[in-house]
Structures are given as C-alpha cells and as structure tokens.
Amino acid sequence: MRQPGRRERLCAARERDGDTCLWCARRLTGTVAATTDHVVPKVKGGPSWLENEVAACRRCNGERGHRGAVEWLEECERRGWSPDPVRLERVLVSLADAIAERGGQRRARPHLDAQLRRLRKRWPSAA
C-alpha cells in the first residue's frame, strides 16, 4: 500500500484535526505556516504515517526537536500556550492501532507506550 506524500498527509491531518497547531493552538492560516510534526519522532522509530503526524506551526515543530510528545506538551503549558492533550491522546491511540494492524515499528513501540502512559497519568481527562 502506497503511503501518501508529505503534502497529502498535511492536508489529511488538518482535515482530521482542524486548522490549529496541536501544541500552541495557533490558527494555521496566513502568516502561521502549517507543517507536519511526527508525534513519535523519526529518530525514535516513528513512521511517516498519517497516524503519526499532526499539523503544527513551524515554530512548535522546530522548537520541539526530538523531545517526547508529553514533555513538549508540558513545556507548551509552561509557556502559557493551550496544547490539546485530548487530540494528542487520540493520535497516539490511532498510531498504536495502526502499528498493531500493520506490524513492524519495533523501535517506535516502547516510546509510544511510554508516551501514552505518561499522558494518561498527567492528564487523566484525556483518556
């Protein structure tokens, strides 16, 4: 099965999640450019699948780097932004389901499981 290209994945992520950055809640229009951000970073084994990508502003995507999703969510809160833990939990669960269905992603699984546990502990209402 052919995976959609980056532009197609960004459009699908925006359609799925809306036109706001997951991390800071800025509207992704006009001067705020939208990018795809890997929830499980590629260096930690995260695939370039739609289930692992969210729409994010260029600032958040660049500043997050390879940090874990929950660590960056906490940093966004410290900065006074409005991250969306419910949307993050939905994306993480969707990725876990996709990995279970398609298989593989040996490196991503432990990181994904740890992020879900940490998110649910920190934001029980997200689950």
Side-chain angles (χ1 to χ4, degrees), residues 78-93:
R78 279 191 291 279
R79 293 179 181 200
W81 301 341
S82 301
D84 190 345
V86 173
R87 185 174 11 159
L88 177 61
E89 200 260 347
R90 188 175 65 237
V91 170
L92 290 172
V93 168

Side-chain angles (χ1 to χ4, degrees), residues 70 73 84-93 116 118-127:
V70 177
L73 208 69
D84 190 345
V86 173
R87 185 174 11 159
L88 177 61
E89 200 260 347
R90 188 175 65 237
V91 170
L92 290 172
V93 168
L116 271 168
R118 188 171 173 191
L119 179 71
R120 289 172 173 161
K121 183 177 180 181
R122 174 74 169 79
W123 286 279
S125 61

Side-chain angles (χ1 to χ4, degrees), residues 18-122:
D19 276 335
T20 59
C21 175
L22 170 72
W23 311 114
C24 69
R26 291 194 305 170
R27 298 229 14 104
L28 300 172
T29 57
T31 60
V32 181
T35 64
T36 55
D37 189 15
H38 291 81
V39 177
V40 174
K42 290 175 80 173
V43 299
K44 296 185 181 181
S48 289
W49 298 349
L50 176 59
E51 294 88 355
N52 189 38
E53 295 180 347
V54 294
C57 69
R58 208 174 284 284
R59 175 190 68 187
C60 287
N61 195 349
E63 288 185 27
R64 177 178 170 218
H66 303 305
R67 287 188 248 192
V70 177
E71 179 184 353
W72 182 243
L73 208 69
E74 291 170 342
E75 174 62 25
C76 292
E77 273 194 337
R78 279 191 291 279
R79 293 179 181 200
W81 301 341
S82 301
D84 190 345
V86 173
R87 185 174 11 159
L88 177 61
E89 200 260 347
R90 188 175 65 237
V91 170
L92 290 172
V93 168
S94 174
L95 177 58
D97 292 345
I99 289 173
E101 179 183 313
R102 297 177 196 164
Q105 307 308 317
R106 215 176 51 234
R107 287 182 50 222
R109 288 177 188 203
H111 181 77
L112 173 60
D113 293 341
Q115 291 299 298
L116 271 168
R117 278 191 311 274
R118 188 171 173 191
L119 179 71
R120 289 172 173 161
K121 183 177 180 181
R122 174 74 169 79

